[in-house]
Amino acid sequence: MADTAHSPEHRYGNRPTMKDVAAKAGVGLKTVSRVVNGEPGVTPDTERRVQEAIEVLGFRRNDSARVLRKGRTATVGLVLEDLADPFYGPLSRAVEEVARAHGALLINGSSAEDPDREQELALALCARRVDGLIVIPAGDDHRYLEPEIRAGVATVFVDRPAGRIDADAVLSDSFGGAREGTAHLIAHGHRRIGFVGDRPRIHTASERLRGYRAAMEDAGLPVREEWVSLGSTDPERVDAAVRGMLAAPEPVTALFAGNNRVTVTAVRALAGRVRPVALVGFDDIELADLLGITVIAQDSAALGRTAAERLFRRLEGADGAPERVVLGTTLLARGSGEVAPPAG
């Protein structure tokens, strides 16, 4: 019985080459190359023999070697904040669809909201000679990418702008969305509205807080220090912030949640309360339509698609100053934001 476990055909890493195909088909290497790459100059009978040899040997074209000979990797990198966050699923898929339409491979990874990890991942992708980068930044200083951009790595930032460098960015209207959501609560009679958001160094968190403050100012309403809480989106921190606002001598009657993770914790904290509390969240969440949660919805797929299309335009030679594209948000009124404050 033959020892197939140690034969060349079954050993990992010993893939058949075009030379093997040429030997099997009894043709020259150039002929195999023409068949593999769909080039003319091969008779139907010879092409049939080559294709049969390819099938028998299980040959696969080495695209990585092919593109490296051309000096291009045909690869783009995507640096996300958190792969587990449902907001980034549609965004990542949209980027992948655009990349695929341009014949490019997408490689993605998560920074876990750590600026050092973001830098390490972005530079690792550049070291592997990606053609372009799409970055959802965790940090606020992106000067480390300047040498890569000068070397020709097209770079587009999504959801948050780059820090301390000029680069293309595709953003949602965090300020306008938060302003609209807060104004919606005010229009339903609320005067004591709490804001619970992410860390203040994060662009989207600071913009949403600014929108909340603007809506309160527009209505001539004060913003008390105890009505605002920024920090980690850890459930314990958010739960404590919500409960603290509700236990104050003059408790808030409504809450604006600064992102999807804050909204989920706020829904849990408010569950079962006898005294109703209105809630509007920034970002849609799973089952929000069934739970009746009013949200300011972003189109994360449009963010990813717009960023990827911008990236490939740059790769195809589009020049000009970096641009900032801001996409609008949508208020989805489902019930929780339309709860009236208690009488008296």
Side-chain angles (χ1 to χ4, degrees), residues 159-276:
D159 191 39
R160 308 162 188 172
R164 306 185 73 175
I165 65 170
D166 290 326
D168 289 318
V170 180
L171 317 173
S172 288
D173 186 5
S174 286
F175 170 79
R179 189 177 194 173
E180 182 181 16
T182 305
H184 184 74
L185 291 168
I186 294 169
H188 283 81
H190 295 278
R191 299 296 177 264
R192 300 195 303 271
I193 302 171
F195 179 94
V196 184
D198 210 332
R199 297 175 179 89
R201 67 172 173 79
I202 296 174
H203 174 80
T204 49
S206 62
E207 282 294 285
R208 291 167 196 174
L209 175 59
R210 195 167 69 86
Y212 157 82
R213 289 188 183 277
M216 296 292 277
E217 183 179 348
D218 291 343
L221 298 175
V223 176
R224 296 184 181 175
E225 184 180 340
E226 61 268 26
W227 295 353
V228 175
S229 178
L230 297 179
S232 163
T233 57
D234 177 79
E236 289 185 9
R237 202 282 302 179
V238 173
D239 183 78
V242 170
R243 294 184 187 280
M245 292 179 189
L246 298 177
E250 288 189 285
V252 299
T253 63
L255 287 170
F256 188 91
N259 67 23
N260 55 0
R261 285 165 290 188
V262 174
T263 302
V264 169
T265 302
V267 168
R268 290 185 174 131
L270 298 176
R273 289 186 64 85
V274 175
R275 188 174 185 177

Side-chain angles (χ1 to χ4, degrees), residues 28-275:
L29 192 59
K30 183 61 179 175
T31 300
V32 176
S33 177
R34 284 178 177 150
V35 172
V36 168
N37 292 299
E39 297 172 0
V42 181
T43 65
D45 181 62
T46 300
E47 182 176 358
R48 178 186 55 77
R49 295 204 328 266
V50 171
Q51 291 290 5
E52 286 176 354
I54 286 172
E55 186 175 344
V56 169
L57 294 173
F59 170 78
R60 295 292 180 272
R61 186 176 68 179
N62 186 349
D63 282 326
S64 62
R66 179 169 171 261
V67 296
L68 282 172
R69 282 196 296 271
K70 294 182 177 181
R72 294 286 297 278
T73 61
T75 305
V76 293
L78 172 61
V79 180
L80 297 163
E81 178 210 339
D82 183 357
L83 290 169
D85 190 329
F87 173 79
Y88 295 116
L91 188 154
S92 178
R93 281 196 300 273
V95 172
E96 187 172 18
E97 286 169 6
V98 175
R100 185 178 179 187
H102 285 81
L105 177 70
L106 177 69
I107 303 173
N108 61 33
S110 171
S111 69
E113 200 61 63
D114 180 344
D116 292 335
R117 186 165 170 179
E118 173 214 300
Q119 178 174 339
E120 179 184 352
L121 179 57
L123 291 179
L125 289 168
C126 290
R128 283 158 178 76
R129 300 184 68 225
V130 295
D131 294 298
L133 277 178
I134 295 176
V135 181
I136 297 169
D140 55 10
D141 186 348
H142 294 92
R143 289 176 296 176
Y144 70 86
L145 279 173
E146 285 182 327
E148 309 300 333
I149 294 171
R150 284 196 300 270
V153 179
T155 306
V156 178
F157 288 78
V158 185
D159 191 39
R160 308 162 188 172
R164 306 185 73 175
I165 65 170
D166 290 326
D168 289 318
V170 180
L171 317 173
S172 288
D173 186 5
S174 286
F175 170 79
R179 189 177 194 173
E180 182 181 16
T182 305
H184 184 74
L185 291 168
I186 294 169
H188 283 81
H190 295 278
R191 299 296 177 264
R192 300 195 303 271
I193 302 171
F195 179 94
V196 184
D198 210 332
R199 297 175 179 89
R201 67 172 173 79
I202 296 174
H203 174 80
T204 49
S206 62
E207 282 294 285
R208 291 167 196 174
L209 175 59
R210 195 167 69 86
Y212 157 82
R213 289 188 183 277
M216 296 292 277
E217 183 179 348
D218 291 343
L221 298 175
V223 176
R224 296 184 181 175
E225 184 180 340
E226 61 268 26
W227 295 353
V228 175
S229 178
L230 297 179
S232 163
T233 57
D234 177 79
E236 289 185 9
R237 202 282 302 179
V238 173
D239 183 78
V242 170
R243 294 184 187 280
M245 292 179 189
L246 298 177
E250 288 189 285
V252 299
T253 63
L255 287 170
F256 188 91
N259 67 23
N260 55 0
R261 285 165 290 188
V262 174
T263 302
V264 169
T265 302
V267 168
R268 290 185 174 131
L270 298 176
R273 289 186 64 85
V274 175
R275 188 174 185 177

